[in-house]
Structures are given as C-alpha cells and as structure tokens.
Amino acid sequence: MLIVQLSDPHIRPAGTLYQGRVDSNAMFRAALEQLNQLHPQPDLVIISGDLVDEGSPAEYAMARELLSEIRQPLLLIPGNHDEREAFRHAFADHDYLPASGPLHFVAAGHGPLRVIGLDVTLPGEHHGDMSEAAVAWLEQALAQEPQRPTLIMLHQPPFDSGIAYIDLYKCRNGHRLAEVVSRYPAVERVVCGHIHRAMQLRFGGTLLCTAPSTTTAIALRLDPNAEEASYLEPPAMLLHHWRAETGLITHWLPIGAFTGPLPFA
C-alpha cells in the first residue's frame, strides 16, 4: 500500500501570494503534477493540515479547484491556519469527516493500513492540545481493531523540535498521545505537518515523522534566541510504503525537475 503525504500548502485565493512573496498555489500544483507522474500510483493521498492560509471561503474554493487534480482517495485534517467550520463546509462531501466537533476520523477502507486523523487544533490558537477528550476518542478508535497496522495523522507535532520559535506552537500534552500509542504496537507511524520540515524521532514506542511543506521551509535554527525565518528550500512530500513483510517504510521525495535518470545505481 502506497500513501503520499502532502502538508502545509497554505493555498491562497487565485492571484494572491503567500506572505506576499511566494506563489504557494503554483508550488502545490507542481506537487500534484509530480504526484500524478508517480509509478506505481499511490493508493491514497493524505494532507496533514494548513491546507489554506487564512481559512477564507475564497481559499477553500481555490483548494477544491487544485485538489480536483488528485485521482486517489483523499483524507484531510485541518491545521492552525485552517478555520474548522469553513473546512468542514468546504469538504462536506468527505463523508469520513464528522458533522460537528473536532474533525477526528478513522479511515479503514482504503487498504491494509488504517489511517486515523486526529484533530488537535484549537480554534483561534496556533498551538494544539492533546486534550483528555482527544485521548478518550483515540483510545476508543484504536481499540476497535487493536492489531491492525495503523498510521495516525495530526497537524502540530507533539514534541519540542529544538526550533524555539515554532515549538511555541506545538501540540501540548504530547505525553498523553505517547502513552496511548505505547499501548498499541500496531501503530506503525505517527505523522505530522506544521513544522515545514522533515524530522523523525522515536515516540510512544513507534516512529514519528513530520512532513516538509510544499511551499516554504521553516529555518532550521537551533539557537534558542534565534529569530524566526523561512527559506525557499526544495519542497517535498513523504511517500509511505506499507508491506506486510517489512511494515511501513517512509521516503522523503523532493518536488522538482532534477538531472537524470542516469544509467547507473
């Protein structure tokens, strides 16, 4: 089973630049063009939040237009730049999304790997929280099929990355998530967005990885007093490849045109 993870496209209304500088829509379209050229084609596409930048109806209309290029089933969760109710309205035809409350979901009908979407966003805030209610929901969801290979997707990472100015907006109470995950060895991966960089670490007895953005990258500045910044680094996506004999392998795949293929390996 192949799953492409895209994250943080920060789609803007047609003709509007992200942060007044970057054509995030064109960069997302380039990501989708590359997605459609993959061979074999993925079975599923997931987007781990910040689909749009300001949560406006015009942005969601633009998002729907761009997302129409995706041929696979699509699973989405909101990020801190999304507006929960506008997101819910824009994707009312996505029947895995609940009609009220946090946009948690369980998607078990796309292949052997179950995908759980966990909405840890807090309306009006940029940080997330693993609340006691979210813990209870996740525990119940995992217990439905405790032995089934599972990927859990949330937006804000539940750990300190070392980049002080983005760690202010992490998912708080991440230890609660780790405790739940540790009780279910079938959780193959926890995946996040938000941080606009690829990172990985052990978490709750499994692996956690963050996806790069399809637009700008948050600067890797580990000085605790560093000023916040971003770069136009090569955008990328993650490709998660699940096989029964190996479990889940995660590949970092840059987006763009590169010299090759060359006749050697």
Side-chain angles (χ1 to χ4, degrees), residues 28 129 159 185 199 203 222 238 259:
F28 190 55
D129 183 51
F159 67 94
M199 298 182 183
F203 180 86
L222 300 179
L238 297 182
T259 301

Side-chain angles (χ1 to χ4, degrees), residues 9 96 110 130 204 242:
Y96 58 89
H110 300 291
M130 190 65 192
W242 188 87

Side-chain angles (χ1 to χ4, degrees), residues 66-256:
L66 291 169
L67 293 172
S68 68
E69 300 177 22
I70 294 178
R71 303 164 185 165
Q72 293 79 13
L74 174 64
L75 303 175
L76 312 104
I77 57 168
N80 54 297
H81 282 264
D82 290 297
E83 200 286 318
R84 182 181 285 167
E85 296 311 317
F87 185 104
R88 195 192 317 270
H89 178 75
F91 297 100
D93 56 329
H94 286 228
D95 58 7
Y96 58 89
L97 293 174
S100 62
L103 291 167
H104 306 317
F105 65 81
V106 179
H110 300 291
L113 189 74
R114 171 179 57 175
V115 176
I116 292 179
L118 190 60
D119 179 7
V120 298
T121 63
L122 299 171
E125 302 287 350
H126 284 296
H127 69 277
D129 183 51
M130 190 65 192
S131 66
E132 292 183 359
V135 168
W137 182 90
L138 179 61
E139 184 88 51
Q140 183 178 41
L142 288 168
Q144 291 173 5
E145 294 184 271
Q147 304 305 319
R148 183 163 182 175
T150 298
L151 179 150
I152 298 173
M153 172 172 63
L154 60 154
H155 181 63
Q156 291 99 331
F159 67 94
D160 284 321
S161 71
I163 304 174
Y165 49 81
I166 197 65
D167 289 340
L168 292 172
Y169 310 118
K170 67 180 181 180
C171 175
R172 298 176 185 174
N173 293 305
H175 66 280
R176 293 174 176 167
L177 176 59
E179 289 168 1
V180 176
V181 169
S182 69
R183 294 194 286 274
Y184 294 88
V187 175
E188 291 274 348
R189 197 76 83 249
V190 177
V191 300
C192 307
H194 187 61
I195 209 160
H196 289 220
R197 300 202 67 84
M199 298 182 183
Q200 58 184 335
L201 73 156
R202 289 195 61 79
F203 180 86
T206 188
L207 294 177
L208 183 153
C209 61
T210 66
S213 171
T214 59
T215 181
T216 53
I218 289 174
L220 182 57
R221 294 182 170 181
L222 300 179
D223 183 334
N225 298 312
E227 294 185 0
E228 61 181 47
S230 292
Y231 284 91
L232 271 171
E233 297 179 5
M237 64 182 78
L238 297 182
L239 181 63
H240 305 289
H241 186 192
W242 188 87
R243 294 182 295 167
E245 61 270 29
T246 59
L248 194 66
I249 301 172
T250 295
H251 302 271
W252 177 86
L253 184 62
I255 298 164

Side-chain angles (χ1 to χ4, degrees), residues 11-13 51-60 80-87:
I11 292 167
R12 300 289 283 131
L51 179 64
V52 305
D53 192 48
E54 294 183 351
S56 70
E59 290 179 329
Y60 285 114
N80 54 297
H81 282 264
D82 290 297
E83 200 286 318
R84 182 181 285 167
E85 296 311 317
F87 185 104

